[in-house]
Amino acid sequence: MLRGAVIGLGNVAIHGHLPGWLGRPDVRIVAAADSRPAQRAECEARLPGARWYDSPEDLLAGEPLDFVDISTPPSSHAPLIQSALERGLHVLCEKPLVSSPAELRSVSHAARSAGRVLHTVHNWHHAPILSLTADLIREGEIGRVRRIVWETLRVRPAAGGDGNWRVDPAVAGGGVLTDHGWHVFYVLPAWVGERPTSVGARLETRRHTAFAVEDTASVRLEFTHASAEILLTWAAEERRNRVEVDGTEGRIELRDDTLVLTGKGGERRWPGLPALSDGSHHPDWFHKVAGRFIGAVSGGAVSGGAVSGGAVSGGEGHAEQNLAEAALCCEIEHLARESSRRGGGQIPLSPAPLAGSRL
C-alpha cells in the first residue's frame, strides 16, 4: 500500500483526482494541503482520516510518504516538484508540468539524481475518442498521417477559484495556449509518429479584453511528413471540439461525441462516445493516469529517470516517455509564444528532446 498526499485541493483534485485515487486498492491518500483554509472542509468530507496541512511545506516536512500528487496552479509546480524530489518522493503533477525549458531541465535533473519518478497528468491520452483514434491510426486504417486539423472551442476559461488564476499570467504562465495547447502538443506527435520540426503561432485577444493573457491561439506544427493546424479559443460561440486526421489511405473525423472513419473498408461510425467538451475533470481518464504512475513507481527499479520492470513496455519505459512528452510540450509552447512575438513565422524545434526520448 503506497502512501500518497494531494497538494492543492482545487476543482481538478476534488472532482478528478480524488475519485481516481479512492478507487484504487494499492494507494492510500493519507494527507492533503492547501493554502486556503476553506479547503479543509473538502478534505474532511472527501478524505476521512487524512491529515490536513495549512501549507505544502508543512506537509512535505512532516508527513511520511511515498509520493505526492501536485494539483496546484502552474507557477508553483517547479518549486514543489523540487521540494518533493529532495525528500525522496515520487511526483505526479498536473499539466503544465513547468512553465519554461529552464525549469524543465531543472526538475528532470532532480528526478534523475533522486532516482524517483516524475510524471505529468497527460489524461487526454485516455479519452475514449482519442484512444480509439490512436488505435485506428496504429492499426493502419488511414495509412500514414499527413494532415491534422484540431479545434478546441470554449466560450470562457474553466473556473479556477477566486479571481480565476487561469487568466493571471503570473500564476498560469499564459492563457488558452497554456491551458489547452499542452494536451494537443502531446497527443498529435503520438498520432503522427514523429517529433515536430517547427512551430508557428499567433496569439490574440478576441473577446475577453479584461484578461492579461491570450484568449485565442492559432498554431501550426510542421513534421517531416505531416502538418497540423490548431485553433484554441476561449472566445467561441459554443463549446465543442472538432478534429480531422487525413492519412494517405483515409480520414478520421471527430465530431464532438462521434468518430467517423473513412478508410480502406469504407465508412464506419462510433457514435455516443464521451465528448472532449464534456466537463474538465474526467475522473475515469485520471484513473488510468494514476495506474500508469503507480505502475512506474512500484513495478520496477528506477534508474536514470526511467523505470524498468513489469510496469512498463518498450525499451525506454513509460515514465521516461511521459517526461519526454512534457519536455516537448514545454518547448512547443515556449517557441509558439516566441513565434507570435515575431509575427507568426515557423521556428525550428530542437532536433533532440530536452529530457531524452523518442519524441
Side-chain angles (χ1 to χ4, degrees):
M1 178 73 71
L2 294 173
R3 295 167 56 86
V6 176
I7 298 177
L9 277 181
N11 287 331
V12 72
I14 291 169
H15 302 294
H17 292 210
L18 291 187
W21 288 127
L22 293 174
R24 298 192 62 86
D26 51 357
V27 168
R28 184 182 173 205
I29 302 299
V30 299
D34 197 296
S35 60
R36 298 165 296 173
Q39 297 308 102
R40 183 169 188 166
E42 291 283 2
C43 177
E44 292 172 349
R46 298 173 186 273
L47 293 170
R51 280 173 291 281
W52 170 261
Y53 291 85
D54 290 323
S55 73
E57 293 76 19
D58 289 344
L59 182 150
L60 291 172
E63 189 69 36
L65 297 166
D66 296 300
F67 72 90
V68 292
D69 173 351
I70 297 173
S71 304
T72 55
S75 61
S76 62
H77 288 180
L80 287 174
I81 291 168
Q82 291 279 5
S83 295
L85 291 171
E86 288 170 3
R87 288 163 173 78
L89 305 181
H90 301 285
V91 178
L92 178 66
C93 185
E94 259 297 337
K95 64 82 185 170
L97 179 65
V98 290
S99 298
S100 71
E103 288 183 342
L104 187 282
R105 285 189 288 270
S106 180
V107 298
S108 297
H109 176 74
R112 287 192 293 270
S113 297
R116 292 295 179 264
V117 173
L118 173 59
H119 197 96
T120 315
V121 178
H122 288 172
N123 59 335
W124 280 41
H125 276 316
H126 307 292
I129 199 166
L130 299 186
S131 179
L132 176 57
T133 300
D135 289 343
L136 293 171
I137 291 171
R138 186 169 53 251
E139 292 163 5
E141 291 288 346
I142 62 169
R144 183 156 192 162
V145 174
R146 292 301 191 206
R147 175 178 175 270
I148 301 173
V149 175
W150 181 294
E151 293 181 355
T152 297
L153 308 181
R154 303 291 185 266
V155 298
R156 64 181 64 85
D162 296 340
N164 200 344
W165 56 263
R166 283 184 173 82
V167 299
D168 182 348
V171 179
V176 72
L177 181 68
T178 303
D179 195 29
H180 286 280
W182 189 280
H183 290 306
V184 185
F185 300 153
Y186 64 74
V187 168
L188 298 196
W191 288 357
V192 176
E194 62 184 61
R195 179 180 175 82
T197 57
S198 69
V199 57
R202 291 184 181 274
L203 309 184
E204 310 169 61
T205 300
R206 293 184 177 180
R207 173 179 293 171
H208 301 289
T209 56
F211 294 175
V213 294
E214 76 281 351
D215 69 11
T216 301
S218 302
V219 182
R220 181 177 180 86
L221 292 180
E222 291 287 356
F223 300 81
T224 302
H225 301 290
S227 63
E229 298 286 346
I230 302 159
L231 174 63
L232 313 165
T233 186
W234 289 332
E237 298 300 324
E238 60 179 333
R239 179 185 176 93
R240 68 178 177 90
N241 284 76
R242 184 179 72 89
V243 182
E244 298 175 356
V245 186
D246 289 317
T248 54
E249 300 180 57
R251 162 182 276 208
I252 295 172
E253 296 177 73
L254 310 185
R255 304 170 184 170
D256 236 2
D257 67 347
T258 299
L259 186 152
V260 180
L261 167 66
T262 307
K264 303 172 184 177
E267 183 178 288
R268 284 185 282 166
R269 291 173 174 262
W270 288 262
L273 296 168
L276 296 174
S277 57
D278 285 348
S280 56
H281 304 127
H282 310 295
D284 52 330
W285 306 0
F286 178 81
H287 181 77
K288 294 183 178 180
V289 171
R292 290 288 186 92
F293 171 67
I294 295 303
V297 167
S298 62
V302 181
S303 174
V307 177
S308 61
V312 298
S313 60
E316 296 170 323
H318 178 76
E320 188 163 308
Q321 182 68 14
N322 174 271
L323 186 54
E325 286 182 348
L328 178 59
C329 293
C330 186
E331 185 179 5
I332 292 173
E333 181 181 349
H334 174 73
L335 293 180
R337 293 190 181 281
E338 181 62 25
S339 170
S340 185
R341 285 191 288 269
R342 296 183 189 180
Q346 296 294 122
I347 297 180
L349 272 73
S350 63
L354 298 177
S357 175
R358 293 187 295 273
L359 291 177

